[in-house]
Amino acid sequence: MNDTTRKGLLPAGLADGLPPQAKGEAILVERLVAAFDANGYDRVKPPLIEFEDSLLDGPGVALAPQMFRVMDPVSQRMMGLRADITPQVARIATTRLARAARPLRLSYAGQVLRVRGSQLRPERQFAQAGVELIGAEGIPADAEVVLLAVEALQGVEVARLSVDLTLPTLVPAVCRGLGLDAEASARARDALDRKDAGALVGFENGAGEVFRALLAAGGPAAEAIARLERLSLPDEAAAMRSELAELVATLAAAVPDVLLTVDPTEYRGFEYQTGVSFTLFARGVRGELGRGGRYHLSSGEPAIGFTLYLDSLARAVPAAAVPERIYLPYGTGFAAARELRRQGWRTRAGLVPEQEPKAEAERHGCSHILQGGAPTPL
Amino acid sequence: MNDTTRKGLLPAGLADGLPPQAKGEAILVERLVAAFDANGYDRVKPPLIEFEDSLLDGPGVALAPQMFRVMDPVSQRMMGLRADITPQVARIATTRLARAARPLRLSYAGQVLRVRGSQLRPERQFAQAGVELIGAEGIPADAEVVLLAVEALQGVEVARLSVDLTLPTLVPAVCRGLGLDAEASARARDALDRKDAGALVGFENGAGEVFRALLAAGGPAAEAIARLERLSLPDEAAAMRSELAELVATLAAAVPDVLLTVDPTEYRGFEYQTGVSFTLFARGVRGELGRGGRYHLSSGEPAIGFTLYLDSLARAVPAAAVPERIYLPYGTGFAAARELRRQGWRTRAGLVPEQEPKAEAERHGCSHILQGGAPTPL
């Protein structure tokens, strides 16, 4: 291994985006943000680095072990490199934009960094794009956000999209309604997280039967809702079920081509959610494309949003067509070249006199060459 | 100051991009990169963070004191947050793309971070966008890169553009040609950097006279070239002057609307340049828009490129027009809303039944409202 090779090595989990993938990702991000914009979501751009305290506010604390930290020589305070953009958008909504009209619709796109990759996502840097709808709650707000995710993903030609809905508040409501104590509730949570029906026994007030039925209810949304509606649930949990059923009906009517599934006991990764939550997949593509749900800002305001992960998404979209490019032999004037670009041509200019212009054009991967003032296919 | 306010404070030199500026910057970047792409420059996307050694290779070392550093827990090696993207593009060209056809045309856009702001640029995070043309040298290559900067900047409607050309290799060539020793050369460099004609005395072989004439030669390009051509210069320096004259003639013919100036002794900030270099300004706008020039990669390959600074550039472009937005009263169906967006409308939906839909539309800054199925101006 020579010195140049060694210097070319990047830290694990960090990578160079090369042509054409780097362009593909940038175009993907801009098309997503354009879909957010068309739906009334205004873009914000928080900094890559800010005071650690701000980044660890509220749900952000879950990523504390994943955050790189540096000392700020100016303030002598610790700063963190963001591992997630959502807490920054929440900060902007509760401070700089505290007085902006509600509901407040914000979008963002940018890079995040993490100290270690995970088994599912070895990357330590990846791009996120998403929205937050702040100061609104209820089914129309939930539906707007889920449908926006669908519209944005279908807009970048993600095929076989599926939305997996979950209700992380349902099991706690059942526990409260059936009078389970903290120990029994924790035991139920643990068994449900492991999807271990066999461990869901020995609970008071028929709770074990309800938990097993919830666990078995998951699947395609229409059937799952029907199974849930046959259950006898305490009032608070029953109200949540009604909301979920209403949301499913709204979504199914709006986007009948999208597979909707319901997993009523899914909880991991949704610990901070306060209502309906969802995960986005493209069937047949590794990794989730994004996730979202309802939560509360530190100010107490209700919010709902989602985040898309560009690394997974890049695997779910069709490869961009190789664009046509025209070779301009040495000596082609600037005005002629600019005019071709104005017409939409992508040019590549010869910088030294060519022996064989066509061979040079081919060496540069061009599809056309300028001959006698006219684009000519190679 | 309450807790929320305190948490909203960002470290000095770091800022939130808010609507509509955040969108404006993103659109600006994409339009610049599209101009690079149309000229055959393929986008690369190096990571925000990589091993310190790689970032400090070659010209990158100039920014060493400005680089945040973090320990990589995986490799136990120091990593740096990039303070400049150019060294990363050079690394990609000499490693991953070492065997790609030359000349190699690469473009990039992204954020950089610096430990401290400067008086001229207090920001500690800003966006850069630029190109590198690798494995080509000579006037056609120089001209391509300068003209690309002009085309990209004029494409985003920068008015009153000026290109300030400099030749950082000229004074060293004069010193060599007139046989000045290291001490005399350093003294000349120092006086020229301070533009102190009075200190340019006491040199051997008529060098003082040449230096004073070089210092006085700067100004609009046609006159500056005429003044330079009247000077008697040693052969190597005279050859550089001829190249500069040829480049100026090419640029003046191609973009007669751009102000070209020449400062033949400008050197600070161009210490690593190996030939013609340039700074881009919009007259009347604070700060340079970008800079570039010829240099050599660590592999010895010739290269020429430029970097644009998005913070200065944002001050030089006209504000984007406020886009029209339509309010969709509560209950508007998803299909109807999506169809409006397909037609190019930006929608904002009511999420609760309105008492007065028009008042709500106005509160949300909409220009239109959907009434009886048709967009109606407010």
Side-chain angles (χ1 to χ4, degrees):
Chain A
M1 200 190 289
N2 63 30
D3 191 50
T4 308
T5 313
R6 195 190 61 77
K7 281 191 176 142
L9 283 178
L10 289 171
L14 295 167
D16 291 316
L18 296 182
Q21 287 78 17
K23 178 182 173 183
E25 183 187 291
I27 289 175
L28 204 49
V29 167
E30 291 315 308
R31 288 172 69 189
L32 295 172
V33 174
F36 305 159
D37 186 65
N39 279 268
Y41 287 76
D42 288 322
R43 188 159 182 172
V44 293
K45 184 200 156 208
L48 287 167
I49 193 168
E50 58 174 285
F51 290 130
E52 183 182 19
D53 309 353
S54 310
L55 291 170
L56 297 182
D57 195 28
V61 75
L63 282 169
Q66 282 288 35
M67 198 169 76
F68 282 110
R69 290 168 176 81
V70 289
M71 172 66 85
D72 178 12
V74 177
S75 64
Q76 303 291 328
R77 287 174 61 188
M78 286 309 288
M79 303 194 295
L81 273 73
R82 67 180 178 204
D84 186 15
I85 304 179
T86 308
Q88 299 188 295
V89 178
R91 174 183 57 70
I92 290 173
T94 54
T95 57
R96 299 282 304 271
L97 298 180
R99 294 177 188 191
R102 262 50 176 175
L104 181 63
R105 291 177 170 95
L106 299 177
S107 77
Y108 59 88
Q111 306 291 319
V112 299
L113 283 159
R114 298 191 175 171
V115 168
R116 287 179 191 277
S118 66
Q119 203 160 15
L120 280 172
R121 173 173 282 121
E123 292 82 6
R124 294 201 283 170
Q125 175 182 333
F126 55 91
Q128 288 184 336
V131 304
E132 303 297 330
L133 171 57
I134 291 147
E137 55 190 341
I139 304 303
D142 293 342
E144 171 169 310
V145 169
V146 176
L147 291 173
L148 173 52
V150 169
E151 186 172 313
L153 290 171
Q154 290 187 334
V156 296
E157 295 170 64
V158 172
R160 306 186 74 216
L161 188 59
S162 98
V163 180
D164 190 10
L165 295 156
T166 180
L167 206 43
T169 51
L170 183 66
V171 169
V174 169
C175 293
R176 278 192 297 276
L178 297 181
L180 266 60
D181 62 17
E183 186 276 329
S185 299
R187 187 158 64 84
R189 180 72 277 152
D190 184 55
L192 287 165
D193 284 347
R194 289 183 285 109
K195 302 206 184 290
D196 181 357
L200 289 165
V201 291
F203 290 93
E204 291 176 343
N205 306 328
E209 194 175 309
V210 174
F211 293 139
R212 288 196 301 278
L214 288 176
L215 196 57
E223 296 88 325
I225 295 293
R227 281 190 291 267
L228 287 174
E229 284 179 344
R230 285 197 291 272
L231 296 182
S232 169
L233 294 178
D235 290 352
E236 188 191 3
M240 290 177 183
R241 172 182 59 188
S242 297
E243 282 207 318
L244 180 63
E246 192 186 336
L247 178 63
V248 163
T250 304
L251 298 177
V255 286
D257 52 329
V258 170
L259 176 65
L260 299 175
T261 63
V262 169
D263 184 342
T265 67
E266 184 74 14
Y267 185 74
R268 267 182 290 199
F270 295 105
E271 292 84 349
Y272 291 91
Q273 257 45 62
T274 59
V276 172
S277 302
F278 56 99
T279 312
L280 303 152
F281 293 97
R283 276 163 285 157
V285 175
R286 174 172 58 85
E288 57 190 56
L289 305 182
R291 57 166 58 201
R294 282 197 216 167
Y295 63 101
H296 285 107
L297 303 186
S298 59
S299 62
E301 272 190 291
I304 173 162
F306 64 78
T307 299
L308 303 177
Y309 310 122
L310 272 291
D311 51 348
S312 310
L313 195 46
R315 293 191 290 265
V317 300
V322 176
E324 291 199 319
R325 178 176 276 159
I326 188 167
Y327 186 77
L328 308 181
Y330 179 76
T332 303
F334 177 69
R338 185 169 52 184
E339 181 51 34
L340 286 167
R341 291 189 287 271
R342 281 195 183 137
Q343 293 168 16
W345 285 99
R346 300 172 66 242
T347 62
R348 206 163 251 200
L351 298 173
V352 289
E354 304 93 353
Q355 299 269 324
E356 299 187 39
K358 281 193 176 183
E360 269 300 281
E362 278 167 9
R363 198 173 68 85
H364 280 286
C366 293
S367 55
H368 291 69
I369 185 167
L370 191 69
Q371 272 191 331
T376 310
L378 279 174
Chain B
M1 202 189 289
N2 64 30
D3 191 49
T4 308
T5 313
R6 195 190 60 78
K7 279 188 175 147
L9 284 178
L10 289 171
L14 295 167
D16 291 315
L18 295 182
Q21 286 78 17
K23 178 182 174 183
E25 182 187 292
I27 290 174
L28 204 50
V29 167
E30 291 314 310
R31 288 171 68 188
L32 295 172
V33 174
F36 304 159
D37 185 67
N39 280 269
Y41 287 76
D42 288 322
R43 188 158 182 174
V44 292
K45 183 200 157 208
L48 287 167
I49 192 167
E50 59 175 283
F51 291 129
E52 183 182 19
D53 308 352
S54 310
L55 291 170
L56 298 181
D57 195 29
V61 75
L63 282 168
Q66 282 288 35
M67 197 168 76
F68 283 110
R69 289 167 176 81
V70 290
M71 171 67 84
D72 179 12
V74 177
S75 64
Q76 305 290 330
R77 287 173 61 188
M78 286 309 287
M79 302 194 296
L81 272 72
R82 67 180 178 205
D84 186 14
I85 304 180
T86 307
Q88 298 188 295
V89 178
R91 174 183 57 70
I92 291 173
T94 54
T95 57
R96 299 282 303 272
L97 298 180
R99 293 177 188 190
R102 263 49 177 174
L104 180 63
R105 292 176 169 96
L106 299 177
S107 77
Y108 60 87
Q111 305 292 319
V112 299
L113 283 158
R114 297 189 175 173
V115 169
R116 288 179 192 277
S118 66
Q119 203 159 17
L120 280 172
R121 174 173 282 121
E123 292 82 6
R124 295 202 282 170
Q125 175 182 334
F126 54 91
Q128 288 184 337
V131 305
E132 303 298 330
L133 171 57
I134 292 147
E137 56 191 340
I139 305 302
D142 293 342
E144 170 169 310
V145 168
V146 177
L147 291 174
L148 173 51
V150 169
E151 186 172 313
L153 290 171
Q154 291 186 334
V156 295
E157 295 169 63
V158 171
R160 307 185 72 213
L161 188 60
S162 98
V163 179
D164 190 10
L165 295 156
T166 179
L167 206 44
T169 50
L170 183 66
V171 169
V174 169
C175 293
R176 278 193 297 276
L178 297 180
L180 267 58
D181 62 20
E183 184 275 332
S185 299
R187 188 158 63 85
R189 180 73 276 152
D190 183 57
L192 287 165
D193 283 347
R194 290 183 282 109
K195 301 206 184 291
D196 180 358
L200 289 166
V201 291
F203 291 94
E204 289 178 345
N205 307 327
E209 194 174 311
V210 175
F211 293 140
R212 288 195 301 277
L214 288 177
L215 196 57
E223 296 88 323
I225 294 294
R227 282 191 289 268
L228 287 174
E229 283 179 344
R230 284 196 292 272
L231 297 181
S232 169
L233 294 178
D235 290 351
E236 188 191 3
M240 290 176 185
R241 172 181 61 187
S242 298
E243 283 207 317
L244 179 64
E246 191 185 338
L247 178 63
V248 164
T250 304
L251 299 178
V255 286
D257 53 330
V258 170
L259 176 65
L260 299 175
T261 64
V262 169
D263 183 342
T265 68
E266 185 74 15
Y267 185 74
R268 267 183 288 200
F270 295 105
E271 292 83 349
Y272 291 91
Q273 259 41 67
T274 58
V276 173
S277 303
F278 57 97
T279 313
L280 302 153
F281 294 97
R283 277 163 284 157
V285 174
R286 172 171 58 86
E288 57 189 57
L289 305 182
R291 56 166 59 200
R294 281 196 216 169
Y295 62 102
H296 285 106
L297 302 185
S298 59
S299 61
E301 272 190 290
I304 173 163
F306 64 78
T307 299
L308 303 177
Y309 310 122
L310 272 290
D311 50 348
S312 311
L313 194 45
R315 293 191 289 266
V317 300
V322 177
E324 292 199 317
R325 177 177 276 160
I326 188 166
Y327 186 77
L328 308 181
Y330 179 75
T332 304
F334 177 69
R338 184 169 53 186
E339 181 51 34
L340 285 167
R341 291 190 287 271
R342 281 196 184 137
Q343 292 169 16
W345 285 98
R346 299 171 67 240
T347 62
R348 204 162 251 200
L351 298 173
V352 290
E354 305 92 354
Q355 298 268 326
E356 299 186 39
K358 281 194 176 182
E360 269 300 281
E362 277 168 10
R363 198 174 68 84
H364 279 286
C366 293
S367 56
H368 291 68
I369 185 167
L370 191 68
Q371 273 190 328
T376 311
L378 280 174

